[in-house]
Amino acid sequence: MADLTRMIKDRLEQEFPLVWVQGEVSNLRSPHSGHCYFTLKDEASQLRVVIFRSYYQAMRFKPVDSLKIVCRGQLTVYEPRGEYQLLADYTEPLGMGALAQAFEQLKARLDAEGLFDPRYKKPLPYLPHRLAVVTSPSGAAIRDFLQILHRRFPNIQVLVYPVRVQGAGAAEEIVGALRTLNTMPDLDVIILTRGGGSLEDLWAFNEEKVARAIFQSTIPVISAVGHEIDFTIADFVADRRAPTPSAAAELVVRPLEELQLELQRLSLSLQRRFLNLLQQGRERLRLSGHRLKDPRRRVADLRLRLDERAEQLQRLWQTKRRDAAAKLRLAAARLSLLSVRRRSEGQRLLLQQDNRRLQQVLRRRLSDHRRLLEHLTDRLRPLNPAAILARGYAVALTLPDRAVLRTSQQTAVGAPVLVHLHHGALRCQVTSITDETLPLPTK
């Protein structure tokens, strides 16, 4: 199989060394390797296309999906899969030139990044003292520019920075010129110019590197490339666009005669303004002079006013002195009253202290008497009849006269007696009497 595939590959590359194929782009992809892969198809068939990185990076026009393009290349066979494919080295869109398509693509991308944003446009100096022109020194554009510039303002300083304005290396020289000029001091504006030509001739001014160099310039840049109908990427990025090199010269400086006339007009205006101010000053001085009084009358007025102020001060002093004396008397009275109050307050405090000490003595004595009373009560408590009854003794009373029986002789057999116990009482009747004293219980 490998031999057959190799034979087909050799035969195909030999029979189709260079072909042009047109179709619609689909499945476009560009991996990290930098190569570009896509399928070119029409209504009946499709063809795999490969563009290697070296060709792809050099192409101004980049294919996109769904775009109809024309490819140039060599047919070959990818042996691992046995597929035939086109190794393309050039593409261009159908219906529109590759350069025009590349121009639109770059313009859209830089616009999206903000390189055309008006807020980044730098203003041109009113009257530049020194300017630089980046162009070909042998072209007609520089001659037209210098002729008109010197006719309008002969004394202006012009630095011509020679570069190639078309062909290989032109873009790099223009970028180098812009970067070098931005390091020079006292340079007010840069004019980037060349004459008209085809899109291919003007292509150096559509290069991305030139556009970014213009955008990064800190010195204002005027783009004057081609004729009035020609637009380049440099025109959109530059701070101002001039339709032609001659128009750039008219844009960057005003005619000397016009500036001189304006200077005269400003001078006359300043002179009139100065005279008006002078006249107004004189008028104010005259009016102020009328309002000035005789100095002697002014001194007399001041003396009278001084005497009047002295009398006012004297009256004010006497009034203040009387008020101060009254306040002093009042303060003395208040001070005296305050002294009495202070003494009264001292006596009241002493009384409060004596009262507290007396209360303490009374409380101590009362406590001592209470303890003595409790002691005496404890001593008298055993003598209480109730206490004796509580110890188990009883009291016998005669009835009905309730006399305490102290001896057996105070009653008779059959007489009723009332016996009081610690709790309760007994009504008893005497059944017998003896004079013998019986022993009392010990517990």
Side-chain angles (χ1 to χ4, degrees):
M1 184 177 293
D3 294 339
L4 177 61
T5 302
R6 189 171 300 109
M7 291 175 60
I8 294 174
K9 179 176 184 295
D10 295 340
R11 186 68 176 270
L12 188 65
E13 292 177 353
Q14 184 178 4
E15 291 291 331
F16 301 96
L18 183 66
V19 296
W20 289 83
V21 185
Q22 71 178 42
E24 181 179 318
V25 177
S26 67
N27 299 324
L28 177 73
R29 61 189 179 89
S30 180
H32 294 297
S33 63
H35 308 320
C36 178
Y37 303 91
F38 59 90
T39 300
L40 201 62
K41 63 181 182 181
D42 58 14
E43 294 78 4
S45 60
Q46 60 182 16
L47 172 63
R48 285 175 51 83
V49 179
V50 180
I51 305 176
F52 290 122
R53 181 175 61 182
S54 58
Y55 293 113
Y56 186 68
Q57 290 181 344
M59 289 179 178
R60 295 191 179 99
F61 162 72
K62 309 294 184 186
V64 294
D65 277 330
S66 303
L67 186 66
K68 292 185 177 180
I69 64 172
V70 177
C71 292
R72 181 189 67 189
Q74 180 185 15
L75 285 178
T76 186
V77 174
Y78 184 55
E79 295 183 37
R81 288 201 294 265
E83 295 177 351
Y84 85 99
Q85 59 188 12
L86 178 66
L87 301 179
D89 56 11
Y90 176 80
T91 63
E92 67 177 30
L94 282 176
M96 179 184 292
L99 291 180
Q101 186 72 23
F103 175 86
E104 295 298 334
Q105 288 180 348
L106 179 61
K107 178 184 173 186
R109 183 156 53 86
L110 297 183
D111 189 16
E113 292 183 23
L115 268 69
F116 306 157
D117 196 323
R119 61 180 172 171
Y120 297 126
K121 305 293 185 185
K122 295 176 283 295
L124 299 180
Y126 177 76
L127 182 61
H129 298 285
R130 191 164 181 248
L131 57 86
V133 183
V134 179
T135 188
S136 171
S138 60
I142 186 61
R143 292 195 300 271
D144 297 341
F145 178 84
L146 293 176
Q147 181 181 4
I148 294 176
L149 188 71
H150 289 151
R151 188 176 63 205
R152 293 169 68 88
F153 205 99
N155 297 329
I156 195 167
Q157 298 181 35
V158 180
L159 171 65
V160 178
Y161 198 109
V163 295
R164 283 180 289 180
V165 292
Q166 71 178 69
E172 287 74 11
E173 291 188 7
I174 294 172
V175 171
L178 290 172
R179 290 176 179 171
T180 302
L181 292 174
N182 269 273
T183 63
M184 294 183 176
D186 303 329
L187 194 60
D188 298 319
V189 64
I190 298 173
I191 296 95
L192 184 62
T193 185
R194 65 148 287 161
S198 64
L199 183 58
E200 289 78 3
D201 294 338
L202 304 180
W203 191 254
F205 299 90
N206 292 322
E207 293 283 359
E208 181 176 350
K209 58 175 71 73
V210 174
R212 296 195 182 279
I214 295 173
F215 184 75
Q216 294 167 359
S217 174
T218 58
I219 302 172
V221 177
I222 299 175
S223 175
V225 179
H227 299 301
E228 190 167 352
I229 59 174
D230 297 324
F231 277 88
T232 64
I233 297 296
D235 294 331
F236 295 106
V237 185
D239 299 294
R240 290 291 293 273
R241 175 192 179 255
T244 61
S246 301
E250 296 174 353
L251 181 65
V252 73
V253 294
R254 300 170 61 184
L256 180 60
E257 296 78 6
E258 182 180 332
L259 292 174
Q260 289 174 339
L261 289 176
E262 184 173 354
L263 183 62
Q264 291 177 2
R265 183 182 59 79
L266 291 174
S267 178
L268 291 174
S269 176
L270 287 174
Q271 187 176 3
R272 286 194 296 271
R273 179 64 177 165
F274 174 75
L275 292 176
N276 288 335
L277 291 175
L278 182 61
Q279 183 62 30
Q280 291 174 5
R282 287 175 176 172
E283 184 64 21
R284 285 198 297 272
L285 182 61
R286 186 182 64 79
L287 295 175
S288 299
H290 287 302
R291 289 196 294 268
L292 287 177
K293 296 180 179 179
D294 186 351
R296 289 171 298 183
R297 293 182 57 188
R298 178 65 174 168
V299 171
D301 292 342
L302 291 176
R303 283 178 177 174
L304 292 174
R305 188 174 299 178
L306 180 63
D307 291 342
E308 184 180 0
R309 292 292 174 87
E311 291 178 358
Q312 291 176 353
L313 288 175
Q314 184 68 22
R315 290 195 296 271
L316 181 61
W317 162 249
Q318 292 176 355
T319 302
K320 292 290 184 182
R321 189 178 62 178
R322 286 196 297 271
D323 293 343
K327 289 181 179 178
L328 183 61
R329 288 194 296 274
L330 181 60
R334 289 178 176 175
L335 185 61
S336 177
L337 181 58
L338 181 61
S339 176
V340 173
R341 288 181 178 176
R342 287 181 176 176
R343 288 199 298 272
S344 299
E345 182 66 19
Q347 293 296 330
R348 188 178 65 80
L349 294 175
L350 291 176
L351 287 175
Q352 288 178 349
Q353 293 176 359
D354 293 341
N355 185 34
R356 285 194 294 272
R357 283 196 295 271
L358 180 59
Q359 288 179 358
Q360 291 174 356
V361 170
L362 290 176
R363 280 196 293 272
R364 282 197 300 272
R365 290 188 177 182
L366 181 60
S367 179
D368 293 341
H369 286 299
R370 282 177 178 171
R371 285 194 297 272
L372 179 60
L373 179 60
E374 291 175 355
H375 175 69
L376 295 175
T377 301
D378 291 339
R379 295 182 61 183
L380 291 175
R381 187 172 290 111
L383 302 179
N384 188 359
I388 296 173
L389 296 177
R391 292 203 301 270
Y393 296 96
V395 177
L397 302 176
T398 63
L399 291 175
D401 52 358
R402 292 183 178 267
V404 176
L405 289 174
R406 299 184 185 277
T407 65
S408 59
Q409 300 303 321
Q410 290 180 251
T411 186
V413 175
V417 292
L418 180 63
V419 180
H420 275 281
L421 303 175
H422 178 60
H423 291 292
L426 301 174
R427 284 182 180 276
C428 303
Q429 188 173 13
V430 178
T431 58
S432 65
I433 298 175
T434 182
D435 294 332
E436 185 179 2
T437 303
L438 299 177
L440 295 174
T442 59
K443 294 182 180 178

